Amino acid sequence: MKQVLRAALTALAVLCLGVLSAAAADDTDSPDRALADLLAGARAKIPTQCDSPDAGTLVQVLCSGTLRVGVRGNYPLFSTRVAETEERIGYDTDVGRAIAAKLGVEPEWIYVRAATRISTLAEGGADVVIATMGHNTRRDGEARFIRPHYYSSETIIVGPRDLEIANWDDVRERRVCSTIGNYANSHLVTQGVRLMLFEDAARLPEALNENVCVLAAHDDSFMAYYLGEPAFGDRFERKFGFDQVPWGMAVAQTGTDDFALALELISEIMHRDGEFLALARENGIFTSFLENQQVLWQSPACATVAALTDPACVLPALDATPPATRFAPEVENSVAWMKDNIGFAPELPMLTSVPAFELFMDGIVNSLILVVGALAATLAFSLIFGFFAALPFRASRVVAWGIITTLQSSPVILTLVVAAAVANTIFTYSPAVALGSAIVALGLMNGCNAGQAIGEAADSLRAEGRYGTGFSAALYWAAVRRSLTQLLSFLVNAAKGTPIASFTGAPELLSALTDITSFAAGRVTTYTMVLVFYIAVVFLVVWACERVRAKLEQREARA
Amino acid sequence: MTGLGALLASDYPADLATGMVVNFRIAGVALAFGLALGVPFTLMYLGGRVARRIVAPMVGLMRAAPTFVVMFFLLNIIPKPWTLFGVDLTLPPSMIVALSLVPYAAAYIADNGRAAILGLRAGSQAEALLFLPNLIRAYVVLVMSSSAGVAIGVNEGVAVVLREAERQSTLGEQMVVFAVGVFAFGAVFQVGFAIVRLLMRSLSRRKKAGTAG
């Protein structure tokens, strides 16, 4: 009996030891323990390393007792300033406060804009940026992102409740308002959406309210506030969403090893304990991502420090880098050489990525088709209108006059829209249909004016009595020759008007480059390029017209 | 189906009128800047050979520049905000449209101003006075061209027309909306050109009287 009791006690002792040692092992791999050890190690360096330039960001933050947090100035529900004070409210600022509290320091708010979030970090203006920043592969090279991600959003299309929009098919060829630099623009462009771009996201709800935009695309996080407002929410709704992107806090790339690890451990703990979720609920933002993350980080597989690098636990950055062209390295080398040797270099996004290059080349080809087509259509319509205007019959002249007056009375852009609307009713929308309708509209508008000039020339020739009072081929061609100056000037006008076709979805150069700059840098270079291109095209048309005129005059002189 | 009567009884006509006021304003600003730039060009045209050689290609370039592209160019190169004498300024989109029309306006005024002064030098006051109807013609053309602002979010006349058209479900209904828009712009165009024709006729009579006298 004694032996049995001894064996049982021994087994119990072994079991207890086993449990205790397992518990000890778990504790060393727990994020709480790792965070405590990391902070203790950093605090041990205070105050000796406080003035050292080699002290990392974590030590500097603990020394100063302040965590400088870069936050958005006015991003409802995430970071807004309380009127007349320096106090800020919102999910991002609450996260900043919670992190500062876990580090045992006070937060200091640094105002950042979308365009300055990363540069502020690089310049040492903030220790961490918590500013509604999507984590994509392009940004990975510019800042160190903290994972697990503290939030996630998707881009949503918002529009009037009475407008039926359910998917991409319903927004194709429609105009959608977005912001410059929005990563979702490249997706919108590839779906055949026409963009109207604004500098500031705050303009989007205003533009919807003022009916400047019918549809707008932006982060659901941003739109949530406005959709929650009764006046806005009664009129507009979320149509559909796309491009889910995780949001990351970010720190500078250098001197931040310990600091980044501390933030990662804090994020893991906050997910596991539902602190992120509670803050999100307090601020009334969407919580489905945080609910899923809490379940994930509570699971045994992700409840360890090792999980911070486990792809099964942390999300990857959104892959936003388009494939590079095969000559991208040469372009980048040339740009770098220019920067080094001249001090200035243009940004050439249209040459460095495959989708941008394809858009660019298609844009050039389509522009040339458009110009040649508009010239041919102008010539054809001027001869047709001229024929009817030159006839000595009242009925034909009245009809010609009616059409000419109507076309003259309509602004170019409106005529193009009407032509596109008719074409899209007859044919299924395609870039070719958009180009074709623009060619017809430009030809009609300029051709009718030139045709009117031919009609007036015919009248003047009749008045001179050289061709009688009736109509003949000789009179008609003499009228065409007499109105040559007007005809040529309307041909030039047609060439000048071709870029307006971009408004109705014709994929010419202006449209292509606007699409490229909506998701890439280099706006100044790009728009300078398009201006030079079109001025060169117009000069070429002017030169060609002058040559034609000279040839005709020579022929007449010989005759 | 939205009939013409229902459309005219809605807010559409009032909104269209409000939008077209923006077009008039843009055209006015463009013409004012065009005059400010075009008058010195005219004087340079009539100056020495050097001045003429400088101004001729500049005016040629301005004539060739497509307004729509210039508008996007300005929209994207002018920093927001930009600083002038230490003051931060932000140009509204309507001002960008007005500035994009300035090259056309300035080139037009330079050409017509030159013709007017040459006429005056030749002793024909009536020919010089043709500058006035040409100015009205330029204003009407600028009003029509300012509708390009719809592409950058300016709430002008065509923007109102397109917005109303988007509300309609059939092409027929949209055409009614477009027709009202064309009629409104057409009225401006036709009235403007009627004034031009009247002035021209009156000047021509004056010219004939001058010659006879």
Side-chain angles (χ1 to χ4, degrees):
Chain A
M1 181 66 191
K2 250 185 187 176
Q3 275 180 337
V4 172
L5 192 63
R6 192 179 295 154
L9 283 172
T10 310
L12 189 65
V14 168
L15 187 69
C16 286
L17 272 172
V19 169
L20 282 172
S21 62
D26 275 349
D27 190 43
T28 44
D29 201 27
S30 85
D32 308 77
R33 176 68 183 271
L35 178 64
D37 288 349
L38 186 65
L39 292 178
R43 285 191 183 110
K45 295 174 184 168
I46 300 173
T48 50
Q49 288 199 13
C50 281
D51 295 326
S52 165
D54 297 330
T57 306
L58 181 60
V59 172
Q60 285 172 350
V61 165
L62 296 176
C63 285
S64 67
T66 304
L67 178 68
R68 296 171 306 151
V69 188
V71 291
R72 297 293 292 269
N74 182 23
Y75 201 100
L77 302 182
F78 288 84
S79 175
T80 47
R81 181 183 273 180
V82 178
E84 309 291 320
T85 71
E86 284 304 306
E87 193 49 43
R88 286 173 191 274
I89 54 170
Y91 177 69
D92 280 2
T93 45
D94 282 351
V95 167
R97 258 184 222 103
I99 287 171
K102 286 188 189 298
L103 294 174
V105 295
E106 286 296 319
E108 179 193 338
W109 308 124
I110 308 291
Y111 167 66
V112 292
R113 286 181 287 118
T116 61
R117 289 179 290 203
I118 289 176
S119 58
T120 301
L121 283 175
E123 289 158 8
D127 300 313
V128 59
V129 161
I130 309 174
T132 68
M133 185 154 61
H135 179 195
N136 60 43
T137 47
R138 211 182 308 164
R139 287 178 178 155
D140 258 338
E142 300 165 341
R144 178 181 283 192
F145 279 83
I146 304 302
R147 294 193 292 181
H149 301 99
Y150 77 102
Y151 195 62
S152 171
S153 71
E154 63 176 354
T155 301
I156 57 169
I157 303 276
V158 173
R161 286 181 176 275
D162 56 1
L163 190 67
E164 280 185 32
I165 299 280
N167 53 41
W168 288 117
D169 287 338
D170 298 331
V171 291
R172 200 154 290 136
E173 77 176 281
R174 277 186 175 273
R175 192 164 294 277
V176 174
C177 293
S178 180
T179 48
I180 294 165
N182 186 345
Y183 67 90
N185 288 346
S186 57
H187 196 155
L188 288 163
V189 166
T190 56
Q191 294 295 332
V193 167
R194 299 204 296 277
L195 296 177
M196 182 183 280
L197 298 171
F198 291 86
E199 282 277 327
D200 186 7
R203 272 289 292 141
L204 295 179
E206 282 174 19
L208 282 169
N209 261 328
E210 293 163 2
N211 295 319
V212 171
C213 302
V214 175
L215 296 169
H218 210 270
D219 274 2
D220 59 354
S221 58
F222 177 79
M223 287 298 188
Y225 169 79
Y226 295 95
L227 292 171
E229 293 274 292
F232 190 87
D234 287 349
R235 286 183 62 199
F236 302 100
E237 64 178 2
R238 174 193 187 277
K239 298 296 182 184
F240 66 93
F242 60 98
D243 276 359
Q244 186 92 25
V245 61
W247 286 17
M249 303 176 214
V251 298
Q253 285 188 307
T254 53
T256 54
D257 291 350
D258 286 349
F259 184 52
L261 179 59
L263 294 180
E264 284 171 356
L265 292 165
I266 290 171
S267 294
E268 184 179 351
I269 293 164
M270 289 180 74
H271 272 307
R272 184 199 63 197
D273 296 348
E275 289 179 65
F276 281 135
L277 185 58
L279 295 177
R281 284 182 177 145
E282 279 171 26
N283 284 289
I285 59 175
F286 297 123
T287 56
S288 56
F289 167 77
L290 296 174
E291 284 161 14
N292 293 336
Q293 287 287 298
Q294 188 188 18
V295 172
L296 183 76
W297 291 99
Q298 279 178 342
S299 69
C302 296
T304 63
V305 176
L308 290 173
T309 52
D310 184 352
C313 299
V314 289
L315 294 170
L318 180 81
D319 190 358
T321 312
T325 54
R326 60 187 163 74
F327 46 83
E330 284 84 355
V331 173
E332 276 154 14
N333 287 342
S334 305
V335 167
W337 182 88
M338 283 178 77
K339 221 170 244 172
D340 291 343
N341 293 283
I342 308 172
F344 161 79
E347 285 181 274
L348 301 167
M350 68 293 294
L351 300 181
T352 51
S353 77
V354 172
F357 184 66
E358 284 173 357
L359 277 171
F360 179 58
M361 291 311 290
D362 288 350
I364 290 179
V365 171
N366 289 331
S367 282
L368 296 176
I369 292 172
L370 191 57
V371 170
V372 173
L375 294 177
T378 300
L379 192 60
F381 281 117
S382 32
L383 294 177
I384 294 168
F385 280 116
F387 175 78
F388 286 103
L391 287 174
F393 309 120
R394 182 178 281 266
S396 69
R397 291 164 75 100
V398 166
V399 171
W401 177 85
I403 297 171
I404 290 168
T405 305
T406 307
L407 286 167
Q408 280 176 340
S409 300
S410 175
V412 182
I413 208 158
L414 189 54
T415 308
L416 279 160
V417 170
V418 174
V422 173
N424 291 338
T425 308
I426 301 168
F427 309 102
T428 308
Y429 173 82
S430 72
V433 170
L435 275 177
S437 68
I439 286 171
V440 171
L442 288 165
L444 269 172
M445 278 180 294
N446 292 288
C448 80
N449 284 306
Q452 189 181 32
I454 293 172
E456 284 165 0
D459 285 343
S460 69
L461 285 166
R462 276 196 204 98
E464 289 165 14
R466 288 166 60 189
Y467 293 89
T469 52
F471 181 80
S472 64
L475 167 84
Y476 178 64
W477 290 115
V480 171
R481 279 197 299 278
R482 181 167 278 192
S483 55
L484 196 62
T485 303
Q486 284 99 322
L487 180 58
L488 295 180
S489 75
F490 284 112
L491 284 172
V492 174
N493 210 38
K496 271 178 79 175
T498 51
I500 307 176
S502 65
F503 185 71
T504 53
E508 49 68 75
L509 189 62
L510 175 63
S511 171
L513 291 177
T514 301
D515 287 347
I516 293 169
T517 55
S518 72
F519 58 87
R523 282 194 288 159
V524 173
T525 314
T526 304
Y527 284 98
T528 305
M529 202 178 272
V530 76
L531 184 65
V532 170
F533 173 84
Y534 272 110
I535 288 178
V537 165
V538 173
F539 269 124
L540 191 67
V541 173
V542 170
W543 175 81
C545 287
E546 290 302 324
R547 293 274 297 174
V548 169
R549 186 214 297 268
K551 288 245 170 181
L552 287 174
E553 282 173 358
Q554 269 175 11
R555 193 184 292 176
E556 271 194 13
R558 275 202 299 271
Chain B
M1 165 132 186
T2 307
L4 180 62
L7 196 65
L8 294 177
S10 71
D11 291 339
Y12 178 47
D15 289 348
L16 183 55
T18 311
M20 286 180 69
V21 170
V22 177
N23 292 98
F24 295 140
R25 213 179 297 146
I26 291 171
V29 173
L31 194 60
F33 278 110
L35 276 166
L37 205 62
V39 169
F41 281 165
T42 303
L43 299 176
M44 284 172 80
Y45 253 139
L46 299 164
R49 188 190 282 180
V50 177
R52 223 172 15 248
R53 281 197 175 165
I54 292 171
V55 80
M58 281 171 74
V59 172
L61 200 66
M62 288 163 115
R63 237 185 261 127
T67 301
F68 200 71
V69 179
V70 174
M71 181 178 77
F72 274 90
F73 175 74
L74 292 175
L75 182 73
N76 286 282
I77 64 146
I78 295 176
K80 297 173 194 67
W82 61 290
T83 307
L84 183 70
F85 304 120
V87 180
D88 281 350
L89 299 169
T90 303
L91 282 185
S94 57
M95 189 52 114
I96 302 267
V97 182
L99 290 179
S100 72
L101 293 168
V102 170
Y104 162 78
Y108 184 90
I109 283 161
D111 289 337
N112 285 280
R114 180 178 167 223
I117 292 176
L118 285 176
L120 204 61
R121 279 183 185 170
S124 168
Q125 200 187 7
E127 208 161 321
L129 283 172
L130 279 177
F131 185 70
L132 284 177
N134 284 338
L135 212 56
I136 297 172
R137 194 195 302 267
Y139 181 72
V140 174
V141 171
L142 289 170
V143 169
M144 304 295 265
S145 304
S146 64
S147 58
V150 65
I152 60 167
V154 178
N155 202 6
E156 48 68 67
V158 170
V160 175
V161 175
L162 299 189
R163 199 159 63 225
E164 189 62 35
E166 285 223 37
R167 288 205 189 110
Q168 314 301 325
S169 50
T170 66
L171 181 67
E173 290 168 348
Q174 289 184 341
M175 285 298 162
V176 176
V177 174
F178 291 143
V180 173
V182 170
F183 179 81
F185 274 96
V188 174
F189 185 85
Q190 298 302 339
V191 167
F193 275 79
I195 295 171
V196 170
R197 278 193 294 273
L198 275 174
L199 278 171
M200 292 285 221
R201 214 169 289 161
S202 138
L203 289 170
S204 150
R205 273 200 297 269
R206 195 170 162 164
K207 195 174 170 182
K208 272 181 194 160
T211 315

